Amino acid sequence: MTTTATEPLLSAEGVTVRFGGLTALDDVGIRAVPGTVTGLIGPNGAGKTTLFNVLSGVLRPTAGTVTWKGAPPPGRRPHHLARAGIARTFQGLNLFPMMTVLDNVVVGADRLAAGGPLSLLTGLGRHHRDERELRSRAMAALERFGAAEHAHQLPATLPYGVQKQVALARACVGEPEALLLDEPASGLSGGQIDALADQIRDFGRDMAVVLVEHHMDLVMRVCDHIVVLNFGRVISTGTPAQIQADPLVAQAYLGTSDDGAADPAPTAAPAPAADSAPDPDPGNGAAR
């Protein structure tokens, strides 16, 4: 883990999201600083994925602001933010089932195309050169994430752990400056989670990373700073050591024992072997 004193690349302040009479987020703030990993934790329904959806342009907040490099984001739609350099993964992977692994990763490299959308639509100008360059970048990303041998297969034919690596390759191939990881350890075995921890640390050297995760041992190992949500509100922020010592976190998230002492943080339970495990969470609930 590394710590810098630079200003945040991506930040949210005073973010409130309401769905009818339900307040999913209430005056929430978070900062993604270059060269660091920021954890976002909380019980199911705390609002973690809702905040991710706000940060990535999927959802507009009822109130509050999101800034990118100290200014309003360049557009409010997900593709605008992706082109600006904000990438994310999803709980349910969201790989395109009828596209090959390679083509899925090429999609993530779109922001690097020099010819622009008109060239892509017409096939004129730099289109063919862009296509060759993006496919080359996509293959290099698959090599990096150990999935190059599956480049011409469909995602559904692959083990779940390999699909996770394809999703990471797609998120990173466009050389983002900010990376939002939504429960990347779900469905992985203990050994795969250890490897994922190394990958997240590596991401944190090159970009600002925000991590939503239920595996507390992973969060405490890789994060520089943690924000804790409960019922849509921030109840604690700080370093991993500060979060572990906070009684509010122990009570709201980790559970409190009968004698009032905080129970130890839960660790990642061994999951079914990812070589055969199906996608355990194909959904993408708004208020998780």
Side-chain angles (χ1 to χ4, degrees):
M1 295 185 293
T2 59
T3 303
T4 70
T6 58
E7 291 299 310
L9 274 175
L10 179 65
S11 65
E13 293 186 8
V15 168
T16 296
V17 174
R18 296 188 182 94
F19 300 105
L22 172 67
T23 300
L25 294 175
D26 186 4
D27 194 26
V28 170
I30 192 169
R31 295 156 53 94
V33 177
T36 67
V37 179
T38 300
L40 180 62
I41 67 173
N44 284 330
K48 302 181 298 295
T49 294
T50 301
L51 182 56
F52 254 39
N53 287 340
V54 170
L55 293 174
S56 58
V58 174
L59 184 66
R60 290 193 179 188
T62 308
T65 60
V66 175
T67 59
W68 172 246
K69 298 182 178 180
R76 299 296 297 271
R77 304 297 298 167
H79 65 279
H80 294 143
L81 301 186
R83 279 196 167 272
I86 303 170
R88 71 168 290 181
T89 64
F90 296 86
Q91 293 175 16
L93 297 179
N94 284 26
L95 297 173
F96 298 106
M98 301 309 297
M99 294 169 61
T100 66
V101 163
L102 177 61
D103 287 336
N104 266 275
V105 178
V106 168
V107 169
D110 177 69
R111 86 182 193 97
L112 301 178
L118 183 61
S119 174
L120 179 65
L121 289 172
T122 63
L124 301 176
R126 285 185 51 92
H127 168 69
H128 296 294
R129 186 185 304 174
D130 279 344
E131 184 176 13
R132 288 193 300 271
E133 291 177 357
L134 296 187
R135 292 180 77 83
S136 176
R137 285 180 177 272
M139 278 301 300
L142 288 172
E143 290 279 0
R144 174 185 176 187
F145 288 92
E149 63 184 290
H150 306 291
H152 302 294
Q153 296 177 245
L154 296 178
T157 66
L158 303 177
Y160 184 68
V162 177
Q163 292 184 53
K164 283 275 193 176
Q165 292 299 304
V166 173
L168 286 174
R170 182 177 64 181
C172 293
V173 68
E175 300 178 0
E177 294 178 77
L179 178 62
L180 313 179
L181 299 174
D182 198 353
E183 299 190 22
S186 64
L188 299 184
S189 66
Q192 289 169 327
I193 291 174
D194 288 340
L196 176 64
D198 292 336
Q199 288 177 317
I200 294 173
R201 290 193 195 98
D202 187 49
F203 299 154
R205 296 187 183 99
D206 301 323
M207 60 189 89
V209 178
V210 182
L211 170 68
V212 166
E213 188 51 67
H214 286 293
H215 290 264
M216 288 298 97
D217 56 339
L218 175 63
V219 171
M220 299 301 167
R221 286 161 61 189
V222 304
C223 290
D224 302 284
H225 185 81
I226 298 173
V227 176
V228 186
L229 292 179
N230 193 32
F231 294 111
R233 294 184 176 182
V234 175
I235 62 168
S236 186
T237 64
T239 65
Q242 290 170 330
I243 295 301
Q244 287 177 310
D246 191 330
L248 286 177
V249 178
Q251 181 180 15
Y253 187 71
L254 304 180
T256 303
S257 62
D258 291 338
D259 62 4
D263 294 335
T267 57
D275 289 344
S276 60
D279 185 341
D281 182 12
N284 196 21
R288 294 192 60 171

